[in-house]
Amino acid sequence: MAKMADGTPLLSAGTLRVLADKLYEKRKNAAREVEAVIRGLVAQQDHDKISSLIHLLVHDFALSPQSNHRKGGLIGLAAATMGLGAEAAQHLEKIIPPVLNSFTDQDSRVRYYACEALYNIAKVTRGDLVLFFNDIFDALCKLSADSEPSVQQAAHLLDRLVKDIVTESDQFSIEEFIPLLRERMNVLNPFVRQFLVGWITVLDSVPDIDMLGFLPDFLDGLFNMLSDNSHEIRQQADSALAEFLQEIKNAPSVDYGKMAEILVHRASSPDEFTRLTSFTWLNEFVKLSGEQLVPYYADILGAILPAISDKEEKIRMVAKETNEELRTVKAEPSEGFDIGAVLVIARRELGSDWEDTRLEALRWIALLLDRHRTEVLSFLDDIFPALLSSLSDTSDEVVCLVLEVQACIAGDAQHFHRLMVFLVHKFKIEQTLLEKRGTLALRRLCTLLDAQRVYRELATIFEGEADLEFATIMVQALNLILLTAPELAEMRSLLKQSLLNPAGRDLFVSLSASWNHSPIATVSLCLLAQAYHHASSVIQSLGESDINVNLLVQVDKLVRLLETPTFAYLRLQLLEPGRYPSLLKTLYGLLMLLPQQSAAFKILRTRLKTVPSQTFMHMQPALPPSEFPGLSAIRRTASAGGYSQILSHIPTIQSSSTTSEDGERSSDSTNGSLGINFAAQLKQFEYMQHQHHLYQSQNRPPRRTLTPPPAQNGHHPSRTSDDVADSIRRTRAASQVRIPQRTSWRS
């Protein structure tokens, strides 16, 4: 027990007994006596006795196992502090710890009196209390979640007083406080969160405290509170964030990088309000930061691209706006712009379930190609497979944009060849891609890369293709596009000049070798090039091979194509059969290949019936009608419907200039106009067909052909093999005669 110098106790036995009384009023009276004794000792400047009395109050009362003693010790320590007055600062190290220790006492009344005691101590010591701020803050943080309402209320009053003291003090160290705040920000208790937001707001309002500089340390915690179940906490956190964002806008210098990482992380939150706030901040950061965020652009883009397809409209709008802001920044690798990382993000988002996200990913690749072509091409092996896979996308817009990116890559000859090879390989291994996207892909590439260049490259590839069945399908697809696509109109016009124009001749020759995979594609090419004599020779050579359903399907398509605007010139040439006998012979050859009950047979027969036979005489004024011995036979046979005999009556008529309708100098010459060796062309065709015959002998199951687009002016050139096969069966049933497999049309 603390005693005076003469041995007299500092506190009487009665005071010590009352200080531990269960009644508050009695303890309060004893505390007044403690205060009086302390004041006397202060007047005597006897700090040793003061320390002894404080030691007594701490160890015999505040740390006692008896709750009433602990209550008395707390009120006694508060009274001692009041008695010390201005001298209290030097004894606070002994007074504060036991009081704070009582904040976690099992007895709620002890915790309440601990708050009361510290409140009274704080009123006396004011700024000196700031030295113990972290300990007091930690204790209050825990007490704010107390289960007893009276304790919470007492803690709230104490908290308000401490805030006032801190805002007035010049001894407060924000640097020492931030680590504690950062640690507490992850607490989920709503009362603690409310306590923390309150302190952040108060400290931010103090001009001398730079909370903005430490914002990255507790920003994540504030964003985490935006998804709290309590509306009040969400509102407080949002208000605090809004205030900080406004400060960022007005601040001359801000560390955007660390905060950008936090925002990117929170942008993927399942909570809509958190995501919206994150993107709002990112949007402002991109506008404000300039080059500071360049090293973080890949991460930001990784958050923005998925959000472009967010289910919440507000988020979509902010994400799109931020994306556009990013696109306007012309960053360089020397500034920390990681092109490879951005390409990784774009490639990843090509697999997104959302169309808008995939489109933006492609636009980023296109943008990087435009600005940093060399660097992007160095990552080509990484992005090219993903681009090819995107050709299978369900969206036509995505596919078209993929093709634009690929066309941009293919600007160089090396990459152009690689694109064509990869594209052909993709069509080969994915039959569904060829059927669903083949026509779109090929037409788009022709528009973007020059149709002639595309067709010449593909022709070279298919000329050496080992899979003859696949080569046939692709050639048929290319041929159909060539004959119908508006994008290839210029190329068709050039091919029409093949016998007159060196450029047309070169194009015809470059295509013909690969077109030989498909007999009817070869005939189509000849009709387009007006090489009618060669077309007739090709058809005649077919009589020595098997006429199968696939061939008849192709003939059916060609006949229907002949009725489209593409071949209007050909139909007009039928007005002059004397000038174009090989054309007439070619068309009758096609007619002879078709089953008589098929629709295509009827279409072509109707067209040939309109050919004016008297034109023979008008076109050859130098020769009298008597020199046309087959003319009357043609008329009789045509009127009688005996088309199988017509070809033998069509003469090879030469004009006075000795140039045939094919541009050949004579009907049996080997070299055509401008050096086209049609005799060699025919041998090449026959050799290719022989290779196909050997290939088919392996009895491989046939592939389905590429579904063609609708032809011009509403014509539909496509018919299924089942339609033609049905026509064959009906023809056989009507005539009771088997269709010959080998027929010679040679006259």
Side-chain angles (χ1 to χ4, degrees):
M1 179 181 295
K3 297 181 179 181
M4 301 285 287
D6 57 1
T8 305
L10 292 175
L11 294 176
S12 65
T15 301
L16 294 175
R17 184 179 63 254
V18 174
L19 190 61
D21 197 275
K22 64 179 180 180
L23 296 177
Y24 172 74
E25 288 299 328
K26 290 184 177 181
R27 294 195 302 272
K28 187 175 181 181
N29 290 331
R32 289 195 183 100
E33 185 175 342
V34 171
E35 180 182 353
V37 171
I38 292 292
R39 287 184 186 278
L41 293 174
V42 170
Q44 299 172 16
Q45 289 294 304
D46 194 344
H47 288 282
D48 291 337
K49 291 180 180 179
I50 294 174
S51 296
S52 298
L53 182 54
I54 293 175
H55 184 271
L56 171 70
L57 294 173
V58 171
H59 292 279
D60 291 359
F61 286 88
L63 300 180
S64 171
Q66 301 296 324
S67 61
N68 287 333
H69 280 69
R70 295 197 297 274
K71 296 174 187 176
L74 290 170
I75 196 171
L77 288 172
T81 304
M82 296 175 68
L84 286 168
E87 303 289 335
Q90 55 185 308
H91 297 283
L92 284 180
E93 290 184 358
K94 303 182 186 70
I95 296 173
I96 297 296
V99 175
L100 293 179
N101 184 62
S102 299
F103 275 46
T104 58
D105 197 283
Q106 294 181 355
D107 189 336
S108 62
R109 297 306 297 169
V110 173
R111 298 196 299 273
Y112 175 85
Y113 288 122
C115 291
E116 182 183 74
L118 188 57
Y119 184 89
N120 290 324
I121 293 171
K123 285 199 302 182
V124 174
T125 57
R126 301 298 291 184
D128 294 328
L129 193 72
V130 173
L131 298 176
F132 303 89
F133 175 77
N134 278 14
D135 294 332
I136 295 172
F137 179 88
D138 189 39
L140 283 173
C141 184
K142 297 173 183 177
L143 210 59
S144 63
D146 198 280
S147 58
E148 181 62 38
S150 61
V151 176
Q152 281 194 10
Q153 185 177 7
H156 178 66
L157 291 173
L158 174 61
D159 179 57
R160 290 176 57 183
L161 176 60
V162 174
K163 286 176 180 175
D164 290 341
I165 293 172
V166 169
T167 55
E168 296 170 357
S169 174
D170 56 359
Q171 301 181 53
F172 176 73
S173 174
I174 185 65
E175 292 81 4
E176 296 179 3
F177 169 64
I178 288 298
L180 177 62
L181 177 63
R182 180 173 59 243
E183 180 183 345
R184 291 288 178 265
M185 289 300 290
N186 294 323
V187 176
L188 300 179
N189 186 282
F191 296 105
V192 176
R193 284 184 163 184
Q194 201 165 8
F195 170 81
L196 294 172
V197 175
W199 267 101
I200 291 172
T201 303
V202 167
L203 293 176
D204 186 50
S205 66
V206 180
D208 295 334
I209 298 177
D210 181 22
M211 286 294 284
L212 185 60
F214 296 94
L215 182 57
D217 292 282
F218 55 88
L219 181 64
D220 186 65
L222 283 176
F223 268 91
N224 194 29
M225 294 179 190
L226 292 176
S227 59
D228 195 277
N229 294 327
S230 169
H231 174 72
E232 184 176 359
I233 293 176
R234 293 198 304 271
Q235 192 174 39
Q236 289 179 355
D238 182 50
S239 298
L241 286 169
E243 182 63 30
F244 277 118
L245 184 58
Q246 187 60 44
E247 292 178 24
I248 290 172
K249 293 179 181 179
N250 299 329
S253 177
V254 178
D255 183 1
Y256 291 98
K258 291 183 179 180
M259 290 188 285
E261 294 178 351
I262 297 171
L263 297 175
V264 167
H265 172 67
R266 287 297 169 184
S268 60
S269 169
D271 180 67
E272 291 182 2
F273 186 54
T274 303
R275 294 201 307 277
L276 177 59
T277 307
S278 299
F279 285 113
T280 301
W281 276 60
L282 283 173
N283 185 31
E284 293 296 337
F285 275 24
V286 173
K287 293 178 181 178
L288 296 170
S289 67
E291 289 74 27
Q292 282 193 44
L293 282 181
V294 168
Y296 302 91
Y297 274 10
D299 295 333
I300 296 174
L301 187 64
I304 290 174
L305 290 181
I308 288 176
S309 303
D310 196 280
K311 60 182 179 180
E312 179 64 35
E313 182 180 1
K314 291 181 179 179
I315 295 177
R316 292 198 303 271
M317 292 177 61
V318 177
K320 289 179 180 178
E321 182 181 343
T322 308
N323 182 61
E324 292 303 316
E325 289 290 340
L326 273 180
R327 290 169 61 87
T328 60
V329 180
K330 296 182 179 180
E332 297 296 331
S334 58
E335 300 171 350
F337 182 51
D338 192 340
I339 296 175
V342 174
L343 287 174
V344 168
I345 296 297
R347 182 187 61 189
R348 182 191 71 192
E349 296 306 327
L350 286 178
S352 170
D353 294 334
W354 306 103
E355 179 181 349
D356 288 345
T357 295
R358 299 195 299 273
L359 287 170
E360 285 305 321
L362 288 167
R363 293 189 181 106
W364 267 98
I365 296 176
L367 180 68
L368 293 177
L369 273 169
D370 181 55
R371 294 179 180 175
H372 310 284
R373 180 179 180 82
T374 303
E375 291 84 352
V376 173
L377 291 180
S378 67
F379 296 97
L380 191 57
D381 290 339
D382 297 327
I383 63 174
F384 205 77
L387 290 173
L388 286 177
S389 298
S390 296
L391 289 174
S392 304
D393 200 280
T394 55
S395 166
D396 286 349
E397 188 176 357
V398 170
V399 173
C400 288
L401 192 51
V402 168
L403 293 170
E404 288 184 19
V405 173
Q406 291 177 333
C408 184
I409 294 173
D412 304 329
Q414 171 191 355
H415 296 113
F416 174 77
H417 175 72
R418 183 181 185 185
L419 170 61
M420 294 296 105
V421 171
F422 270 83
L423 186 62
V424 169
H425 177 71
K426 193 71 174 177
F427 285 152
K428 187 174 183 178
I429 63 176
E430 291 188 26
Q431 185 69 18
T432 55
L433 174 62
L434 177 60
E435 294 174 353
K436 296 179 180 179
R437 288 286 183 259
T439 299
L440 174 62
L442 293 171
R443 289 177 61 175
R444 189 64 180 158
L445 286 176
C446 286
T447 301
L448 297 169
L449 291 173
D450 181 66
Q452 283 194 54
R453 187 184 181 196
V454 172
Y455 264 70
R456 287 176 186 269
E457 186 68 29
L458 291 175
T460 302
I461 294 173
F462 291 123
E463 184 178 355
E465 174 60 47
D467 187 344
L468 300 184
E469 184 183 350
F470 170 69
T472 301
I473 293 174
M474 286 302 303
V475 167
Q476 290 171 354
L478 289 169
N479 183 66
L480 190 58
I481 295 171
L482 173 63
L483 298 178
T484 60
E487 299 90 339
L488 275 73
E490 184 177 345
M491 187 171 167
R492 288 195 294 270
S493 298
L494 183 60
L495 282 170
K496 290 176 186 178
Q497 303 296 319
S498 296
L499 304 180
L500 304 173
N501 188 311
R505 174 204 62 194
D506 292 343
L507 180 58
F508 176 86
V509 172
S510 67
L511 298 181
S512 60
S514 59
W515 255 238
N516 287 337
H517 283 293
S518 171
I520 303 307
T522 300
V523 173
S524 302
L525 184 63
C526 292
L527 293 178
L528 194 59
Q530 303 185 62
Y532 301 134
H533 185 78
H534 185 55
S536 174
S537 299
V538 170
I539 292 176
Q540 288 177 356
S541 70
L542 295 178
E544 300 177 7
S545 61
D546 292 337
I547 306 299
N548 54 40
V549 172
N550 289 333
L551 178 66
L552 294 177
V553 169
Q554 296 303 312
V555 176
D556 182 287
K557 292 179 180 179
L558 176 57
V559 169
R560 295 171 187 274
L561 283 168
L562 291 176
E563 297 299 317
T564 64
T566 298
F567 287 103
Y569 69 92
L570 182 148
R571 298 194 297 274
L572 291 175
Q573 288 173 351
L574 290 176
L575 294 174
E576 304 176 278
R579 185 177 178 184
Y580 301 100
S582 292
L583 171 59
L584 199 61
K585 189 174 182 179
T586 299
L587 297 182
Y588 273 112
L590 293 174
L591 187 68
M592 294 303 101
L593 294 176
L594 288 167
Q596 294 185 38
Q597 299 301 318
S598 65
F601 179 90
K602 297 174 183 178
I603 292 172
L604 186 54
R605 181 181 62 179
T606 302
R607 173 62 65 184
L608 290 172
K609 280 184 177 181
T610 63
V611 176
S613 57
Q614 65 271 21
T615 309
F616 281 96
M617 293 180 289
H618 296 316
M619 291 304 300
Q620 299 290 340
L623 297 177
S626 60
E627 295 191 25
F628 286 83
L631 181 57
S632 59
I634 291 175
R635 290 173 175 171
R636 290 193 303 271
T637 307
S639 62
Y643 293 102
S644 60
Q645 305 173 18
I646 291 179
L647 293 180
S648 61
H649 295 297
I650 299 178
T652 303
I653 302 174
Q654 300 289 331
S655 66
S656 57
S657 63
T658 71
T659 301
S660 72
E661 83 286 355
D662 288 345
E664 301 176 34
R665 290 298 173 182
S666 63
S667 60
D668 59 350
S669 65
T670 58
N671 293 319
S673 179
L674 294 175
I676 300 179
N677 191 336
F678 285 107
Q681 292 276 335
L682 183 59
K683 289 181 180 180
Q684 189 179 27
F685 170 79
E686 291 174 342
Y687 173 78
M688 181 63 74
Q689 291 305 303
H690 176 68
Q691 296 299 314
H692 274 267
H693 178 73
L694 295 177
Y695 186 86
Q696 292 169 358
S697 65
Q698 300 175 12
N699 295 321
R700 297 192 176 187
R703 304 184 186 211
R704 290 186 297 171
T705 57
L706 179 66
T707 302
Q712 303 172 18
N713 291 356
H715 292 282
H716 299 277
S718 63
R719 280 173 58 84
T720 65
S721 58
D722 291 340
D723 296 334
V724 178
D726 184 62
S727 297
I728 295 174
R729 288 192 294 270
R730 287 189 279 108
T731 302
R732 288 177 175 174
S735 61
Q736 297 298 315
V737 178
R738 292 180 60 84
I739 296 179
Q741 293 184 338
R742 296 183 180 275
T743 306
S744 175
W745 303 114
R746 299 188 183 277
S747 57

